[in-house]
């Protein structure tokens, strides 16, 4: 029998999706499952975006330009200007989700065996994109005790080798909810300038900041014009995960010209979804104001309820809609599976994402889970109550 590639064998399973078969078993057993595992917001997509698709009468559903439609890119540039990010249409390549922007970024800046330093825990799919691109992730550990703040410069400098090509951050962070300060971005800017590296910032949660904190983008930092690459997406901003539209943004002309070649190879991003995403740019600020109030309220409810459980430790998320929760257990993979397969409270259980997959250091995060607060407040309260009861019953 022909065999699959070693690379394929090494592709990691998504820690967020690998428990799906056990969830299906739970549904078959008529259990209600509260999904705390996946970042699929329950917020409605903006009507203006849905209507733009419904009212569009294309005769041919044609390819668009590989870098995305000109009108859309010009409007995205307008959105960035409003956010103090001085980029133009020519600095933007529209991609099939932030996921493709990450793949293009890795392909553009790194050869096989090159290294990218990433504060961990990090968005689990970075592991998959790195494997697909033959890139080595070098983790720098950020700790729950420090609320996952940027590790000291010395920790980064210890890890820089001749093969290091970039530092990659996620801001605000999935899975930590950590929001990097302007000072921390400036610290990173100093490191990448000193060592001539790229700074890739996954800013797909830019709008989701709480307690009055403002997001500070890497491209607000003038010194990063040649070093900075933003990864962006409409998925979470407009609760349009199924549109599959994102973009890669850089002032570095060589980066854009190279990423464009990857974009040309896959021809174009989806046409209808660009129409929806272009219309979504007209979403009024009031939509975001309401969404932020809702998420902040959910976060407050969730974090307070979690902290009230003996032995549970949780970071203080300032952005995005996730938190890492440390539990009084040994192995969160086994615990998450047990929750679905064996446990129930009045016919209900929860699904969580084991945090091991958000680390690349082996054996780290095994007593942690990631929780997404994408459910209504009442559901979150019930879900945490289920977690508390489950922890009382669970034997490692
Ligand atoms: C941090 C982060 N980056 C990128 C993505 C990719 O999103 P998409 O491909 O839907 O734009 C996600 C999705 O959850 C994410 O959480």
């Amino acid at each position: 029998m022909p065999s699959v590639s070693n690379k394929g064998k090494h592709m990691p399973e998504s820690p967020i999706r690998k428990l799906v078969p056990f969830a299906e078993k739970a549904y078959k057993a008529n259990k209600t499952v509260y999904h705390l595992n996946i970042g699929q917001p329950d917020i409605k997509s903006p009507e203006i975006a849905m209507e733009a698709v419904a009212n569009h009468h294309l005769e041919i559903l044609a390819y668009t330009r590989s870098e995305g439609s000109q009108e859309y890119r010009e409007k995205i540039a307008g959105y960035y200007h409003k956010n103090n990010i001085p980029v133009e249409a020519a600095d933007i390549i529209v991609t099939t989700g932030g996921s493709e922007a990450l793949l293009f970024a890795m392909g553009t800046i790194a050869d096989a065996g090159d290294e990218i330093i990433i504060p961990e825990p990090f968005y689990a799919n970075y592991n998959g994109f790195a494997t697909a691109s033959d890139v080595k992730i070098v983790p720098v550990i950020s700790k729950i005790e420090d609320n996952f703040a940027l590790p000291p410069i010395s920790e980064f400098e210890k890890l820089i080798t001749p093969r290091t090509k970039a530092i990659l951050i996620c801001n605000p962070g999935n899975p930590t909810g950590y929001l990097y300060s302007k000072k921390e971005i400036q610290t990173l800017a100093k490191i990448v300038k000193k060592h001539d590296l790229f700074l890739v910032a996954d800013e797909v949660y830019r709008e989701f900041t709480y307690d009055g904190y403002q997001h500070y983008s890497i491209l607000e930092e003038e010194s990063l014009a040649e070093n900075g690459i933003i990864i962006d997406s409409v998925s979470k901003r407009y609760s349009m995960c199924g549109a599959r539209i994102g973009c890669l943004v850089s002032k570095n002309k060589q980066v854009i010209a190279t990423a464009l070649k990857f974009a040309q190879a896959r021809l174009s991003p989806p046409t209808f979804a660009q129409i929806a995403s272009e219309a979504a740019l007209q979403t009024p600020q009031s939509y975001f104001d309401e969404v932020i109030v809702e998420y902040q309220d959910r976060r407050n409810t969730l974090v307070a309820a979690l902290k009230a459980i003996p032995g549970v430790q949780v970071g203080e998320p300032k952005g995005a809609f996730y938190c890492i929760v440390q539990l009084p257990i040994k192995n969160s993979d086994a615990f998450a599976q047990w929750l679905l397969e064996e446990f129930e409270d009045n016919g209900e259980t929860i699904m969580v994402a084991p945090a091991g997959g958000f680390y690349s250091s082996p054996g780290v995060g095994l007593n942690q889970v990631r929780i997404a607060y994408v459910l209504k407040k009442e559901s979150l309260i019930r879900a945490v109550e289920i977690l508390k009861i489950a922890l009382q019953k669970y034997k490692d």
Side-chain angles (χ1 to χ4, degrees):
M1 194 169 81
S3 68
V4 299
S5 66
N6 283 325
K7 187 192 273 190
K9 285 181 193 152
H10 288 122
M11 273 298 280
E13 274 183 306
S14 161
I16 305 158
R17 292 173 184 262
K18 71 181 178 187
L19 291 166
V20 168
F22 300 104
E24 274 162 10
K25 251 170 117 176
Y27 307 142
K28 276 207 187 115
N30 285 325
K31 288 187 211 174
T32 299
V33 180
Y34 290 92
H35 284 270
L36 303 172
N37 60 310
I38 194 156
Q40 168 62 61
D42 61 346
I43 307 281
K44 277 199 179 151
S45 311
E47 260 171 50
I48 201 163
M50 307 303 251
E51 280 167 9
V53 174
N55 297 336
H56 220 280
H57 300 293
L58 290 178
E59 286 188 358
I60 302 174
L61 192 50
Y63 292 125
T64 62
R65 289 163 62 158
S66 297
E67 61 270 48
S69 89
Q70 184 62 17
E71 304 76 45
Y72 179 40
R73 283 160 61 242
E74 277 168 13
K75 287 189 187 162
I76 311 177
Y79 157 84
Y80 284 126
H81 278 257
K82 273 197 223 143
N83 284 278
N84 303 320
I85 302 171
V87 296
E88 309 308 326
D91 306 320
I92 299 168
I93 293 194
V94 179
T95 54
T96 308
S99 305
E100 191 180 60
L102 281 158
L103 266 175
F104 287 179
M106 289 199 188
T108 297
I109 62 176
D111 287 311
D114 282 345
E115 297 168 3
I116 297 185
I117 299 175
I118 313 182
E120 73 174 358
F122 52 74
Y123 174 50
N125 284 332
Y126 295 161
N127 277 322
F129 300 133
T131 305
S133 310
D134 278 330
V135 166
K136 184 174 166 206
I137 290 183
V138 177
V140 55
I141 295 182
S142 68
K143 298 196 191 107
I144 197 164
E145 299 78 51
D146 305 330
N147 207 17
F148 302 108
L150 188 73
I153 290 196
S154 53
E155 293 301 309
F156 283 91
E157 292 200 312
K158 270 190 229 157
L159 300 171
I160 293 173
T161 73
R163 301 236 49 179
T164 308
K165 294 308 297 267
I167 294 172
L168 166 57
I169 58 164
C170 182
N171 187 31
N174 172 8
T176 61
Y178 189 75
L179 180 70
Y180 288 99
S181 66
K182 178 172 178 177
K183 211 167 149 217
E184 285 175 310
I185 298 294
Q186 289 173 334
T187 301
L188 283 165
K190 270 194 208 127
I191 311 176
V192 297
K193 295 299 287 182
K194 179 172 165 197
H195 297 275
D196 208 17
L197 306 175
F198 288 105
L199 179 60
V200 182
D202 182 337
E203 299 185 355
V204 306
Y205 297 97
R206 180 179 301 110
E207 272 73 15
F208 302 95
T209 63
Y210 312 124
D211 307 327
Y213 285 95
Q214 291 289 318
H215 179 261
Y216 188 71
S217 169
I218 57 162
L219 287 185
E220 285 181 67
E221 205 44 50
E222 250 175 71
S223 66
L224 287 173
E226 293 301 317
N227 304 66
I229 301 175
I230 292 179
I231 304 299
D232 216 336
S233 169
V234 305
S235 290
K236 317 289 160 147
R237 180 166 308 138
Y238 306 113
S239 195
M240 283 172 45
C241 296
R244 309 308 307 129
I245 290 289
C247 61
L248 178 151
V249 187
S250 181
K251 301 288 290 174
N252 181 318
K253 301 274 175 250
Q254 217 187 347
V255 165
I256 291 295
T258 308
L260 178 59
K261 291 189 275 179
F262 286 90
Q264 286 168 346
R266 63 80 165 104
L267 304 178
S268 91
T271 301
F272 264 135
Q274 285 183 82
I275 291 168
S277 303
E278 188 177 325
L281 284 165
Q282 295 169 50
T283 305
Q285 184 55 37
S286 56
Y287 172 92
F288 293 106
D289 295 343
E290 279 171 32
V291 170
I292 301 306
V293 167
E294 174 68 26
Y295 277 125
Q296 188 168 302
D297 201 23
R298 290 177 183 187
R299 179 210 56 177
N300 293 346
T301 305
L302 175 73
V303 171
L306 286 168
K307 279 187 173 166
I309 306 179
V312 169
Q313 198 179 345
V314 58
E316 288 282 350
K318 292 272 181 273
F321 32 72
Y322 308 94
C323 55
I324 288 282
V325 187
Q326 193 153 295
L327 302 174
I329 55 167
K330 290 199 187 79
N331 184 322
S332 58
D333 277 292
F335 178 62
Q337 187 174 330
W338 174 85
L339 282 169
L340 293 168
E341 264 195 318
E342 292 179 44
F343 174 78
E344 64 169 277
D345 181 63
N346 283 329
E348 298 185 322
T349 190
I350 55 173
M351 186 165 176
V352 293
F358 295 89
Y359 289 82
S360 69
S361 303
V364 183
L366 293 186
N367 59 348
Q368 299 175 349
V369 295
R370 185 195 72 170
I371 287 184
Y373 40 101
V374 289
L375 304 180
K376 305 244 172 311
K377 228 164 80 170
E378 308 73 64
S379 303
L380 286 174
I381 292 170
R382 173 66 183 138
V384 177
E385 186 187 24
I386 293 172
L387 174 66
K388 186 176 171 187
I389 297 166
L391 285 170
Q392 284 160 355
K393 292 203 176 153
Y394 185 67
K395 304 258 174 302
D396 255 323

